[in-house]
Amino acid sequence: ASGYTQDFLDGSFTSKVDYTSVTYYHKSDYEDAQLLNGIDVSWWQAKNKKTTALNWEKIHDAGIDFAFVRVASRDTSDGSIYEDTAADSHIQAALENDINVGLYIFSQALTEKEAKQEAEYVLDLADKYGWDVTLPIVIDREKGSHNRLTGGKLSKAKETAVCQSFADTISDAGYQPVVYASYAWIKSYIDTDSLEDCGIWIARYNNTTTSNAKRGEPYADTAYDYEFWQYSSAAKIDGYAGSLDANFWYKDTSEQITGLKASDGTSGIVTLSWDSVSAEDVDGYQVWRSDSDQ
């Protein structure tokens, strides 16, 4: 009844999401990844644009493992950057409830210099507040209220260079950079083949990221890698009265450490050690603790 081609079905796997009551089709390339649920928020999900309006304990209990929080924006008539005054409230509450946190800036940068400025602004905020950022720092590329970015009419090469400038600045600071953009924006303005050391967070409000579910080569239009997929802006999640943006994270767990050992230290400290992985692109480790025995 769906009219989906057999090639599309063979190249996909599915998951049912309670937040939207929809079954989603995922690129089979990510079938071995750990599929995690997340949200993204800004001061629009806060009281008086200052205090988070989410019950993060309930949000976590509902199955949300990560959150991207807007910390700044350049969506102004004069092109100035301002801080999202609810960011710290969101982030502290998320971290207190064991939710992984990433940061994003609503970008309207027109030059590499402006993109670097945006990256430095976010990094300064992270340092100022001491946020424990375990997910990427993101440049959000989309039309703003004042049409600054779309009015700039950047070429694909220029838009890609702007994103690369942001990514390089974030990477140099020791964080993972990611560019957020819609399916259409990526197709029209970002040369994914030349974008280096920068992940992609694709926005596509559909039950799959490809337009080739009923004809054409499945996922040929999304042949690039993406780590995150924003699939809805109308998710209903226990812990918040309104609708939320919902996302998938295809967490790569292909590299596994071995030889994990724990030994008693002084003053209640436990010392952990393990054998390093051999992959050349691994530049660090994250240590997780669970209170569950599962």
Side-chain angles (χ1 to χ4, degrees):
S2 65
Y4 294 156
T5 66
Q6 192 60 49
D7 283 346
F8 169 73
L9 297 175
D10 290 343
S12 305
F13 69 97
T14 62
S15 68
K16 177 70 178 293
V17 176
D18 292 337
Y19 315 134
T20 57
S21 300
V22 172
T23 296
Y24 294 91
Y25 292 80
H26 309 269
K27 190 190 300 189
S28 60
D29 292 359
Y30 305 126
E31 195 159 11
D32 292 332
Q34 185 178 6
L35 188 62
L36 300 176
N37 294 300
I39 57 175
D40 56 273
V41 295
S42 68
W43 69 17
W44 301 114
Q45 290 77 43
K47 303 169 186 175
N48 299 319
K49 297 184 179 180
K50 292 182 179 180
T51 306
T52 182
L54 284 73
N55 182 324
W56 288 91
E57 182 178 5
K58 288 185 177 180
I59 291 289
H60 188 227
D61 289 345
I64 296 300
D65 294 300
F66 70 95
F68 281 108
V69 179
R70 190 187 75 166
V71 299
S73 174
R74 196 195 281 271
D75 192 19
T76 53
S77 58
D78 62 358
S80 59
I81 305 172
Y82 62 86
E83 179 180 346
D84 187 314
T85 49
D88 188 54
S89 179
H90 284 315
I91 291 169
Q92 299 299 348
L95 293 173
E96 287 171 4
N97 287 280
D98 300 320
I99 293 176
N100 299 293
V101 169
L103 315 178
Y104 78 92
I105 180 170
F106 191 99
S107 170
Q108 295 286 288
L110 298 178
T111 65
E112 292 97 317
K113 182 178 179 180
E114 287 187 344
K116 182 179 181 181
Q117 179 190 30
E118 291 179 352
E120 291 173 340
Y121 193 97
V122 174
L123 292 169
D124 286 345
L125 287 176
D127 183 62
K128 172 184 175 181
Y129 290 103
W131 292 324
D132 184 13
V133 181
T134 56
L135 286 181
I137 295 180
V138 181
I139 181 171
D140 175 357
R141 301 295 280 175
E142 58 183 299
K143 180 180 178 180
S145 302
H146 302 278
N147 297 325
R148 187 176 195 265
L149 179 54
T150 50
K153 297 181 179 179
L154 302 185
S155 66
K156 178 176 281 193
K158 185 65 174 179
E159 169 67 7
T160 305
V162 168
C163 294
Q164 190 66 63
S165 177
F166 181 92
D168 290 344
T169 308
I170 295 300
S171 293
D172 290 345
Y175 295 94
Q176 179 188 353
V178 159
V179 56
Y180 164 98
S182 69
Y183 166 90
W185 190 276
I186 296 171
K187 184 176 181 180
S188 298
Y189 299 113
I190 299 178
D191 183 357
T192 55
D193 289 338
S194 65
L195 193 62
E196 297 181 354
D197 299 322
C198 181
I200 292 176
W201 173 12
I202 184 173
R204 188 82 197 269
Y205 297 165
N206 199 348
N207 66 342
T208 184
T209 56
T210 181
S211 291
N212 302 349
K214 299 183 179 182
R215 63 182 65 86
E217 182 183 348
Y219 301 104
D221 53 336
T222 54
Y224 46 85
D225 292 329
Y226 46 89
E227 191 175 357
F228 302 91
W229 170 20
Q230 185 187 76
Y231 60 86
S232 177
S233 62
K236 299 296 183 181
I237 303 173
D238 189 27
Y240 184 68
S243 298
L244 291 169
D245 291 344
N247 303 271
F248 294 118
W249 173 16
Y250 302 101
K251 184 179 180 182
D252 184 1
T253 58
S254 59
E255 293 293 341
Q256 300 287 338
I257 63 147
T258 59
L260 178 63
K261 297 178 182 179
S263 59
D264 291 337
T266 59
S267 302
I269 296 174
V270 176
T271 300
L272 300 176
S273 62
W274 56 84
D275 299 330
S276 60
V277 298
S278 58
E280 294 182 356
D281 59 349
V282 172
D283 56 10
Y285 302 86
Q286 292 183 7
V287 178
W288 299 84
R289 186 192 74 177
S290 174
D291 294 328
S292 170
D293 57 2
Q294 300 297 316

